[in-house]
């Protein structure tokens, strides 16, 4: 295996969830994770599947050994400008990990997989729980971005 080889299914220790490539069959499992958000199913198409740039939906999905979705990090691929250069960016949104897997490093597994997908990732309105995971991974606020 060379460094250029891309493995789509991330290996994991026995019994732990694993990251898998997005497939439409996972949609309902993701919606169940967000059951406390009554409008999530209604927002789904707009937020994830009708990208105005025509860019593909490539979220991070974490499943258990029974193929149940236990973690998710949605992404909205966008075009942005950095110092006058047009770049591809992933807008990270809707990060969630099922309660029974929290505190075991699985949130970091999701974020590491997210980092493999794009060189630049942005996030706005980060929850306290997500902020803890991100700071553990070395993320920090960009002081050049104004906070309102």
């Amino acid at each position: 295996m060379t460094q250029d080889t891309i493995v789509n299914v991330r290996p994991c220790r026995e019994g732990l969830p694993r990251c898998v490539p997005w497939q439409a069959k996972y949609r309902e499992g993701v919606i169940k994770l967000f059951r406390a958000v009554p409008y999530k199913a209604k927002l789904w198409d707009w937020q994830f599947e009708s990208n105005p740039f025509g860019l593909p939906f490539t979220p991070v999905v974490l499943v258990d050994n029974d193929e149940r979705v236990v973690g998710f990090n949605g992404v909205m691929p966008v075009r942005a400008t950095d110092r006058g250069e047009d770049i591809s960016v992933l807008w990270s949104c809707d990060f969630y990990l099922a309660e029974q897997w929290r505190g075991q490093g699985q949130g970091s597994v999701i974020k590491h997989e997210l980092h493999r997908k794009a060189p630049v990732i942005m996030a706005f309105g980060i929850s306290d729980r997500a902020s803890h995971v991100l700071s553990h991974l070395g993320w920090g606020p960009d002081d050049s971005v104004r906070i309102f």
Side-chain angles (χ1 to χ4, degrees), residues 14 17 19 25 27 34 45 49-50 65 68 103 120 134 139-140:
E14 186 65 34
C19 290
K25 71 178 186 177
R27 183 181 187 273
F34 292 94
D45 288 337
E49 295 189 29
S50 62
N65 288 336
R68 284 186 302 249
V120 178
L134 294 173
W139 281 43

Side-chain angles (χ1 to χ4, degrees), residues 69-88:
V69 176
V70 298
F72 178 76
N73 199 138
V75 293
M76 295 173 70
V78 298
R79 303 292 301 161
T81 303
D82 180 29
R83 296 175 193 92
E85 182 181 336
D86 191 38
I87 60 171
S88 294

